[in-house]
Amino acid sequence: KVSSEKEDKKEQIKAVEGWLLFFCMTLMLGPLAYLFYDITAYFEIKDQVNWIPLKDTILIIDLILTIIISCLGVYAGWSLWKISSNAISITRLYLNSTLAYSLFFLFLITIIFTVSKIPFNTISQNIYGVVVKDTISSLAYVIIWKLYLKNSERVKNTFGLSVSSTIQQ
């Protein structure tokens, strides 16, 4: 009887509620807020720090990739919200893209600052510090939500048992 009650409780933990709802909301609203921040930063930096090589090219690529990843994040959140069959795969793609882009951007900035022998002044320290902070926060964000998707009873019950195999890929 006790195991039957536990099974019933597990079945009750279903649907987009709790932390899964919170995650959906952060996926749909977070990228839009970050996109606004990135566009604002683009126009602020565009006419400044002209001593960084390929600055305009890097800014444009950053803006385009941010728009694409943001759209993917909104789509992932919407897919989770609607309990779409491919929601976990799309969300995993978004999380992987976010992490890959953060690591790529850190690597790119490190190479540019090293190869160009940019003086390590207050401005360059601030730029590099922001990139490192963003990379660390992206890493933490991805790890936390991937672990949640992998281990959550709600996610397993809502999206089926195939979630575990999808997440591990």
Side-chain angles (χ1 to χ4, degrees):
K1 181 174 173 148
V2 172
S3 73
S4 174
E5 287 176 11
K6 285 183 180 180
E7 290 298 319
D8 289 342
K9 263 191 172 177
K10 282 185 179 181
E11 282 300 314
Q12 290 174 358
I13 302 176
K14 193 173 182 175
V16 181
E17 297 174 357
W19 286 109
L20 185 57
L21 177 62
F22 177 76
F23 187 42
C24 286
M25 299 311 288
T26 62
L27 284 172
M28 290 189 280
L29 300 176
L32 294 177
Y34 186 75
L35 182 61
F36 175 76
Y37 163 78
D38 203 49
I39 290 171
T40 304
Y42 169 79
F43 286 109
E44 287 177 3
I45 296 173
K46 184 178 171 197
D47 298 325
Q48 299 173 2
V49 292
N50 291 323
W51 44 268
I52 296 177
L54 302 170
K55 175 197 62 138
D56 292 331
T57 305
I58 292 169
L59 288 174
I60 290 170
I61 291 170
D62 175 54
L63 190 59
I64 291 169
L65 289 175
T66 300
I67 290 169
I68 292 168
I69 292 171
S70 295
C71 290
L72 182 60
V74 171
Y75 181 61
W78 183 255
S79 297
L80 286 171
W81 179 277
K82 291 297 183 181
I83 310 176
S84 173
S85 62
N86 62 349
I88 300 298
S89 297
I90 293 167
T91 304
R92 189 174 45 90
L93 176 63
Y94 167 73
L95 292 171
N96 290 339
S97 299
T98 299
L99 182 59
Y101 181 66
S102 293
L103 292 172
F104 169 75
F105 200 71
L106 175 63
F107 177 74
L108 179 68
I109 292 296
T110 302
I111 295 296
I112 288 172
F113 277 34
T114 304
V115 171
S116 303
K117 297 183 173 130
I118 294 174
F120 213 60
N121 57 27
T122 305
I123 296 171
S124 62
Q125 286 177 348
N126 287 342
I127 291 170
Y128 199 73
V130 166
V131 172
V132 168
K133 180 187 71 74
D134 288 348
T135 303
I136 292 169
S137 64
S138 292
L139 178 63
Y141 177 82
V142 169
I143 288 171
I144 289 167
W145 287 114
K146 278 191 154 198
L147 286 172
Y148 172 76
L149 290 173
K150 181 179 179 185
N151 297 316
S152 168
E153 286 296 322
R154 180 177 304 281
V155 172
K156 289 175 186 170
N157 292 339
T158 304
F159 294 96
L161 297 175
S162 63
V163 169
S164 296
S165 62
T166 304
I167 301 262
Q168 291 174 351
Q169 292 177 354

